Amino acid sequence: MLFLYRFFCGILVVEFSGIYPEKILNLCAQNKIAIWNTRFSGQKIRFFITVKDFRKLPKILKKSGIKVHILKKKGFPFYINKYKKRFGIF
């Protein structure tokens, strides 16, 4: 069920970089933002997040000085967006 929920909400693979990128993990925990599949590489942290939770991040990131890069977009909203002008499919 969790897979279907995440698929229909949309999933982003996001990379955070900055002086203290681990600060984003604490901020996400404080603001009840769900993240999973966390990977560290030097000064960068990469993880998965839903689109709904990603929209909460700009308020948090203003104070922290951490930069965000969206690496991959997956899920139903992005699939529909790709084909929304092609009426022949329906």
Side-chain angles (χ1 to χ4, degrees):
M1 292 300 286
L2 187 59
F3 171 75
L4 288 175
Y5 171 75
R6 289 178 178 167
F7 177 76
F8 283 110
C9 286
I11 299 170
L12 299 172
V13 179
V14 182
E15 186 174 72
F16 291 92
S17 60
I19 298 173
Y20 299 108
E22 62 274 359
K23 185 189 283 187
I24 192 67
L25 299 176
N26 294 331
L27 292 171
C28 287
Q30 288 174 355
N31 292 300
K32 299 179 182 177
I33 296 174
I35 58 173
W36 66 97
N37 253 4
T38 306
R39 306 260 189 249
F40 292 93
S41 61
Q43 293 289 324
K44 297 179 181 180
I45 295 180
R46 181 182 296 178
F47 55 78
F48 289 79
I49 189 169
T50 61
V51 174
K52 180 180 172 183
D53 286 339
F54 184 76
R55 289 184 180 142
K56 298 177 188 175
L57 285 178
K59 296 175 189 175
I60 298 168
L61 293 176
K62 283 182 184 178
K63 298 176 184 177
S64 66
I66 298 172
K67 295 181 182 179
V68 181
H69 301 283
I70 298 173
L71 301 177
K72 213 181 258 189
K73 299 176 183 181
K74 300 178 181 180
F76 188 70
F78 304 112
Y79 183 76
I80 290 297
N81 199 18
K82 185 167 52 169
Y83 294 112
K84 74 179 179 183
K85 292 187 180 182
R86 299 188 71 187
F87 298 111
I89 292 175
F90 298 108

